[in-house]
Amino acid sequence: QVQLVESGGGLVQAGGSLRLSCAASGTFFSIPVMGWFRQAPGKQRDLVATITTAGSTNYADSVKGRFTISRENAKNTVYLQMNSLKPEDTAVYYCKAIPLSQRTYWGQGTQVTVSS
């Protein structure tokens, strides 16, 4: 079992910044891939960014150059630094983890609202 606890969401004006964090706990040896997804009202849940234990990253085109994903492997914690936020970034952001078991785990989600 993997439990994911997210924090850092909130309300920010366009052009501002937020930093999300997600800490994994439970019984596992390693989490090769961790990442962030987001879901706006009436839309599907889409990939934002992923990162491996080796530091390889993958970003959605819509956030490249503005968002940065990072992780601290010893703490099994992943971060998402969000800069130059736009109203279209408004969504519930979900943390995702895939441990060696290959099962997928999700956090509860944290709301990010960007006002214009």
Side-chain angles (χ1 to χ4, degrees), residues 44-107:
Q44 69 178 63
R45 188 175 300 184
D46 292 327
L47 179 145
V48 177
T50 61
I51 186 168
T52 69
T53 53
S56 179
T57 58
N58 182 32
Y59 295 93
D61 288 341
S62 59
V63 306
K64 286 181 178 178
R66 300 188 298 119
F67 291 9
T68 301
I69 189 170
S70 61
R71 65 185 290 173
E72 297 183 45
N73 292 331
K75 298 170 62 176
N76 286 305
T77 300
V78 63
Y79 305 93
L80 185 68
Q81 179 66 47
M82 305 184 293
N83 298 326
S84 301
L85 283 162
K86 305 174 181 179
E88 49 263 46
D89 295 319
T90 296
V92 177
Y93 284 69
Y94 296 91
C95 180
K96 180 181 179 180
I98 305 177
L100 291 176
S101 67
Q102 299 185 16
R103 294 185 179 183
T104 299
Y105 295 87
W106 294 94

Side-chain angles (χ1 to χ4, degrees), residues 13-26:
Q13 293 184 355
S17 299
L18 285 173
R19 190 183 193 189
L20 307 182
S21 64
C22 173
S25 62

